[in-house]
Amino acid sequence: MINKVAVIGAGVMGAGIAAQISNAGIPVLLLDIVAKGETNRNKIAESAKKRLLKTQPPPLMHPKNAKRISTGNIEDDLPKLADVDWVIEAVIENLDIKQSLYRQLAQVCSANAVISSNTSTLPLKLLVKDLPVEFKQRFIITHFFNPPRYMRLLEIVVGAQMRPELLDSVKTFAEQKLGKGCVFCKDTPGFIANRIGMFWIQCALLEAIERGLSVEEADAVMGAPLGIPKTGVFGLLDLVGLDLMPYALKGMKLALSPEDSLNQISQTPDLMLKMIADGYTGRKGKGGFYRLRHEKGQRIKESINLATGEYSVSHRPELDSVLAAKTDGVKGLLTHEDKTGEFAWNVLSRTLIYAAELIPEIADDIVAVDTAMKLGYNWRYGPFELLDQIGVQWFVEEINEEERAVPPLLKNFQTLYKVTAGKLHFSSLSGDYLPVTRAPGVMLLADIKRNAQPLLENRSASLWDIGDGIACLEFHSKMNTLDMDSIAMVNLSIETVEKQFAGLVIHNDADNFSAGANLGLLVNAIHHQQWQDVVDMINNGQQAYKALKFAPFPVVAAPGGLALGGGCEILLHCDAIQAHAELYAGLVEVGVGLIPGWGGCKEFLLRCFKQPHRFGGPLPPIAKAFQTIGMASVSSSAFDAKALLLLSPDDDISMNKDYLLADAKAKVLTLSRDYTPPEPAELHLPGKTAAIALKLAAKSLLMVGKATEYDVLIGAKLAHVISGGDTDMTEPLTEDDLYALELESFLELVKQPQTLARLEHMLATGKPLRN
C-alpha cells in the first residue's frame, strides 16, 4: 500500500505530478537541487510549489491541497525518503545524473519502496545498467503526460526482474488514487503514445506545407471529424511548444533505425526553425502558428501563412470535406476529392499503417495502443478503432491499389474489434479474438449496453439495468442537454424503478454529464411567443425533479465533466452524489439572462441553510446563495464543488472515471437499506428586507463597472426568489412556494429582449454575452 510519495525534480512535470498526488489526499515530498548562490537551500522546490497555486489550468483540485506538499532539497533531505513508499524521479534527461541519484536512493529508501523514472526518452535497460539486482527488482518507468492532473495516461515499462507485488501496488494506486489509465509498454523509444503521436504530427505538418493548406484548414480536418481535439495539429504544436518537436525528433532519430518510418519524415521545416529562432514557440512565447494581437482593447486571433511566414487574421474555414464527414463519417472525409480530403487520407492512412506496423514492437496488443492514444492525446478513437470505422477491408484494398505495403496485422481480419456473447473482443497477433479485460472495480455503462437492451428509451435518454437491483438513467442527447424527452424519461424511470428496483443511479459515459437545458427549444418558444410552452417546460422540469427528490427509493447522481444549469439542478435534487474528481458544476443561468427554474434556487438555498458552522440568522445563507448563483460560479473540480456547497459533506469523489459507476452503485445499495425519503422542507425567509440589501449589492457592482443594468435586473429577480418573495419571517414557505417563485421570476426574465439576445449569442458562440 502506498501512503507517502516523493517526487525528485521540481520542474513543470515533477511539480505537476506532486500536485496530483496531493489531490489524491496523499502527502508528498518534493525535492530538487540546491540553487547556486541561494541562501534558501529549498528555493527551487518552494518556488515550484508556489507556482502550482498560480498556474492555469490549475494543477491543484483545491488550493488547500498544496498543504500536503512538503519541499526540500536533494543534498539535505534524502534521508526523509526512508518512510516513503514510492519515489518518482523527474530530473533532467541525463543518464549519468539519473544513475547517480539512483545509487543514493538505494542507500536511503526502504527495501519495499518502489523507485520509478518519469523519463520519456531513456530506455529502462540503460537506466538500470550496472545497478544491483535489488534495485532492478523495484524499479520501473512511469511516464506521466503533461499536465498530470488532466492527462489520464500513465505509460509503464517493466523490467524482467521487477517484483510483481510492488508493480501491482503502483498500478492500483495510480488507477484508483491518481485517476490514471495504466498502459504497459515495451522498452522502446517514445513508448506508445509519443511514438505514434509524433509521427502523426510530423506527417500532418509536412503534408500541409506541401499541399498548400492553411493552418486552419489542416486543423479543421485533423480535429473534430476524426474525433481529435479541435486544436488539431498546429494548435497542438502551439500548446506543447514548437521548440520541443525538433529536440524530440533528434532523440528519436538517434534511437530508431534509419529505416523506421518516423525517421523518414524527421526533418524540421525551415519556417518552423525561423519561428523558433524568432521566439514564436507557441503559447509560451510570442505566439506560434496562431497568435493573439491586441488592438484597441480587442484581441485579434491571427495565423501564419505556411508558404510566406506572414500573419493575417484567422478565419474558420467552411470545408466540403468536413461536411462530408458529418454525413458519411470518417470514410466520407478520406474519400472527398479535394486537397483537404487528400491531405486527410495521406496523413491518416500513413499514421494507421505506422501504428499497425508497431505491433508487437511497442505493445502486446491493439488495446494498449488505442488506450494510449485516447488517454495521452485525447483522441476519441484509437488508431485501430478508427480502422474499424473506416472499414479494414476497404482500407487494405486502397493501400494495395496505391502499392503500399499492408501490415500483417491488417491482412487477417475483417474487423479489429467485435462483440461476442455481449463482450468486447480484440484481434490478436495469433489470429484469434481475445476478450478485452477490465481492472477489478471498473464498471462502464458501454460494457453493460453491449450485453443488454434498455428497459426504456427515447431520443434523449435511456434506462438500464446495471445489476443487483439498481437501474441507471442515462442522458445521451448532444452534450446531454435536457429537453422534454429527457424530463419524460425521468418520470418514466421513477415509475419503473419504484416497481422493479431498489435504487437509481443517474450517469453516462460521455465526457460531460449535462450541459444544461436545451436552449434551442427555449429560443424557439420565445420567437413564437409561446409562453404557455415555456410555462409547461418549467413546470414539467420542476415536477420531475421534485418526484426524483421524494421518490420512495434512493437516487445517486454520478456526474463528471460539465454539470451546468439544469444538469446541476438535477444533482441538487438527488439523495447523494458520487462525483468524478473532474466535475465542473454550476448554476449558470444568469449568463443567458435567466435564473435557475427547475428548483436550483430552492435546493441551493436549502444547502446554504444546512451548512454546518454558518453564521446565525437567515441573511448569511441567502447572501451565499445570491453570490454563487448571481456570479454563475462553476466548480474547478469536485473538491471545489464541495467548497461551493454544490456537493454536500457526505457526497463522495472518485478519482478515476472508470470506477465512478461502480462507486455510485455501491453508494445507492448502501442507501437502499431501510431507506426513507426526505421530508419536505420549510423555510422562514425575511422577504423584501433581504431583497433590498441584495439589490443594493448588485447596484454597487454596476457603479464600479462590474455589472450591466440588465445584470442588476436579473439580480433583482434572483433576490426576489431566494428572499422569499412577499413573505416575512413569520410565514413558513414550502418547497412548492419556492418552485412557484422561480417560475414567476423566470417568466418575467424570459420575455425580456436582452434575454433573447443572450440566449442566441450563447447558442452561436458558446460564450455568455454582457448586454
Side-chain angles (χ1 to χ4, degrees):
M1 183 177 291
I2 294 174
N3 296 310
K4 187 175 181 182
V5 180
V7 178
I8 303 179
V12 172
M13 278 301 298
I17 294 167
Q20 184 64 358
I21 293 165
S22 74
N23 290 335
I26 304 296
V28 55
L29 179 62
L30 180 63
L31 306 180
D32 209 302
I33 61 172
V34 177
K36 292 181 180 179
E38 276 290 342
T39 55
N40 179 0
R41 295 174 65 80
N42 300 337
K43 178 70 178 292
I44 294 177
E46 288 178 2
S47 297
K49 179 179 175 180
K50 290 177 182 177
R51 282 194 297 273
L52 292 175
L53 293 165
K54 300 177 182 178
T55 301
Q56 292 296 328
L60 296 164
M61 292 182 177
H62 195 280
K64 68 180 182 182
N65 293 349
K67 295 178 181 178
R68 299 193 185 100
I69 303 175
S70 304
T71 57
N73 68 80
I74 297 171
E75 292 182 22
D76 303 329
D77 297 313
L78 285 185
K80 294 180 180 179
L81 273 56
D83 62 346
V84 163
D85 303 302
W86 181 15
V87 180
I88 302 169
E89 168 269 302
V91 304
I92 189 171
E93 294 287 75
N94 180 295
L95 183 60
D96 292 336
I97 291 174
K98 288 179 186 287
Q99 285 207 322
S100 174
L101 175 62
Y102 298 159
R103 290 187 176 92
Q104 295 178 72
L105 294 177
Q107 299 299 314
V108 298
C109 294
S110 72
N112 292 320
V114 178
I115 300 170
S116 72
S117 174
N118 184 56
T119 183
S120 59
T121 60
L122 296 171
L124 185 143
K125 58 180 174 286
L126 286 183
L127 292 174
V128 299
K129 185 179 180 182
D130 298 329
L131 291 171
V133 172
E134 293 79 11
F135 185 86
K136 295 176 182 178
Q137 290 175 336
R138 54 176 170 151
F139 182 84
I140 55 176
I141 290 174
T142 51
H143 180 219
F144 291 78
F145 274 63
N146 193 34
R149 170 183 167 182
Y150 300 96
M151 302 305 295
R152 289 187 58 204
L153 179 61
L154 182 65
E155 292 180 318
I156 300 178
V157 181
V158 184
Q161 295 167 298
M162 179 65 183
R163 288 162 56 187
E165 75 278 10
L166 296 183
L167 175 62
D168 184 64
S169 70
V170 168
K171 180 177 181 293
T172 300
F173 178 84
E175 289 175 340
Q176 297 183 6
K177 296 294 186 180
L178 301 184
K180 297 300 174 186
C182 295
V183 174
F184 289 97
C185 313
K186 301 292 184 68
D187 193 16
T188 58
F191 309 130
I192 297 175
N194 282 339
R195 179 81 172 271
I196 295 171
M198 287 173 61
F199 181 91
W200 166 70
I201 291 171
Q202 187 68 3
C203 188
L205 170 65
L206 297 179
E207 285 280 350
I209 293 173
E210 181 179 337
R211 294 179 179 277
L213 269 66
S214 69
V215 295
E216 292 93 344
E217 288 172 332
D219 285 346
V221 169
M222 280 291 127
L226 299 176
I228 291 171
K230 62 182 180 181
T231 50
V233 171
F234 292 102
L236 179 60
L237 281 167
D238 281 357
L239 181 64
V240 300
L242 275 67
D243 52 329
L244 292 181
M245 198 66 179
Y247 170 80
L249 286 169
K250 181 180 178 181
M252 296 298 276
K253 192 165 188 175
L254 293 172
L256 296 173
S257 70
E259 294 76 25
D260 190 274
S261 297
L262 179 54
N263 273 342
Q264 305 302 310
I265 57 169
S266 62
Q267 65 272 26
T268 301
D270 291 339
L271 170 65
M272 194 164 164
L273 292 173
K274 184 178 187 304
M275 291 171 69
I276 295 168
D278 292 343
Y280 287 91
T281 55
R283 295 187 188 182
K284 65 183 179 182
K286 299 178 183 178
F289 292 103
Y290 298 95
R291 73 176 184 184
L292 289 175
R293 180 168 57 82
H294 297 269
E295 183 178 292
K296 297 179 181 179
Q298 298 282 324
R299 293 196 309 170
I300 300 171
K301 185 178 181 180
E302 296 183 329
S303 60
I304 199 167
N305 185 303
L306 296 175
T308 67
E310 300 294 324
Y311 283 95
S312 61
V313 176
S314 178
H315 296 285
R316 183 177 178 179
E318 298 291 335
L319 300 177
D320 291 340
S321 58
V322 172
L323 292 175
K326 292 180 179 179
T327 56
D328 300 320
V330 176
K331 191 173 176 181
L333 171 68
L334 301 181
T335 56
H336 193 76
E337 295 182 353
D338 70 2
K339 66 177 183 179
T340 61
E342 292 169 358
F343 165 75
W345 166 251
N346 272 18
V347 174
L348 191 62
S349 65
R350 292 168 69 183
T351 301
L352 297 180
I353 289 171
Y354 190 56
E357 289 173 342
L358 292 176
I359 302 284
E361 178 189 339
I362 62 172
D364 287 328
D365 54 57
I366 66 172
V367 178
V369 172
D370 280 345
T371 302
M373 294 310 297
K374 289 189 289 185
L375 300 185
Y377 276 71
N378 276 336
W379 288 15
R380 184 172 295 278
Y381 313 104
F384 300 101
E385 291 170 331
L386 279 169
L387 275 164
D388 270 351
Q389 284 193 30
I390 297 165
V392 177
Q393 185 174 356
W394 175 84
F395 183 81
V396 169
E397 289 172 356
E398 292 296 310
I399 297 303
N400 277 324
E401 188 172 321
E402 294 179 1
E403 297 183 349
R404 288 191 275 170
V406 177
L409 179 65
L410 304 184
K411 294 179 179 179
N412 302 321
F413 297 98
Q414 295 293 314
T415 61
L416 299 171
Y417 290 93
K418 72 174 184 177
V419 177
T420 302
K423 293 187 180 298
L424 184 64
H425 289 66
F426 69 93
S427 55
S428 69
L429 290 171
S430 64
D432 299 323
Y433 285 96
L434 302 175
V436 175
T437 58
R438 307 291 187 199
V442 169
M443 176 183 281
L444 302 181
L445 192 55
D447 287 342
I448 293 168
K449 290 162 67 173
R450 289 189 188 97
N451 198 32
Q453 294 297 316
L455 301 167
L456 302 168
E457 185 177 30
N458 63 28
R459 291 178 303 174
S460 300
S462 302
L463 184 70
W464 300 89
D465 183 345
I466 60 173
D468 299 314
I470 305 301
C472 179
L473 172 60
E474 174 200 23
F475 299 130
H476 47 65
S477 59
K478 184 177 181 181
M479 291 289 287
N480 295 321
T481 53
L482 304 171
D483 54 24
M484 290 304 97
D485 281 339
S486 312
I487 298 302
M489 187 56 65
V490 171
N491 289 318
L492 290 171
S493 297
I494 293 170
E495 294 175 10
T496 301
V497 174
E498 183 175 359
K499 295 173 183 176
Q500 303 177 30
F501 293 89
L504 176 68
V505 173
I506 305 177
H507 171 75
N508 57 71
D509 283 341
D511 292 338
N512 297 303
F513 176 75
S514 173
N518 185 328
L519 299 181
L521 298 177
L522 187 58
V523 167
N524 184 65
I526 295 171
H527 274 299
H528 294 88
Q529 297 190 2
Q530 295 169 332
W531 307 123
Q532 187 56 48
D533 287 353
V534 176
V535 171
D536 292 342
M537 193 182 303
I538 300 303
N539 271 330
N540 290 341
Q542 288 184 351
Q543 292 307 307
Y545 285 13
K546 177 182 175 182
L548 203 63
K549 178 175 181 177
F550 297 111
F553 52 81
V555 180
V556 173
L562 297 178
L564 303 177
C568 183
E569 289 177 287
I570 201 169
L571 302 184
L572 297 175
H573 283 80
C574 293
D575 292 289
I577 299 172
Q578 181 76 41
H580 182 225
E582 298 298 346
L583 174 66
Y584 316 117
L587 298 167
V588 297
E589 286 84 350
V590 298
V592 291
L594 297 167
I595 63 168
W598 284 344
C601 296
K602 166 185 70 76
E603 288 299 319
F604 189 71
L605 185 62
L606 287 171
R607 285 181 180 244
C608 292
F609 269 92
K610 293 175 184 176
Q611 181 185 6
H613 313 301
R614 71 172 178 84
F615 291 110
L619 287 180
I622 291 172
K624 169 68 176 175
F626 185 74
Q627 179 185 32
T628 302
I629 300 173
M631 299 298 291
S633 299
V634 176
S635 66
S636 59
S637 70
F639 298 95
D640 188 39
K642 281 203 171 193
L644 289 172
L645 306 185
L646 296 168
L647 299 187
S648 76
D650 295 328
D651 290 331
D652 293 312
I653 298 170
S654 301
M655 291 295 288
N656 192 324
K657 195 172 183 181
D658 291 347
Y659 293 80
L660 181 59
L661 181 56
D663 292 343
K665 180 181 172 182
K667 192 173 188 70
V668 79
L669 281 168
T670 299
L671 292 174
S672 68
R673 301 181 194 124
D674 303 317
Y675 176 75
T676 302
E679 291 292 328
E682 288 188 349
L683 283 176
H684 290 265
L685 298 173
K688 292 182 179 179
T689 55
I692 291 171
L694 297 178
K695 291 174 186 177
L696 287 173
K699 287 182 178 178
S700 68
L701 293 175
L702 172 66
M703 293 175 65
V704 296
K706 293 184 177 180
T708 66
E709 290 280 2
Y710 194 56
D711 292 329
V712 174
L713 175 63
I714 299 167
K717 298 303 179 185
L718 175 60
H720 178 72
V721 174
I722 61 177
S723 299
D726 295 328
T727 189
D728 59 41
M729 292 295 293
T730 64
E731 301 176 17
L733 286 180
T734 66
E735 295 196 33
D736 284 341
D737 293 330
L738 291 167
Y739 276 129
L741 284 171
E742 284 189 20
L743 174 59
E744 173 193 332
S745 290
F746 189 96
L747 285 174
E748 291 174 3
L749 288 170
V750 85
K751 295 178 182 180
Q752 301 292 327
Q754 295 98 323
T755 292
L756 178 59
R758 289 192 179 196
L759 286 165
E760 291 183 326
H761 188 269
M762 176 63 75
L763 285 172
T765 67
K767 299 176 182 178
L769 172 69
R770 300 297 301 277
N771 57 353

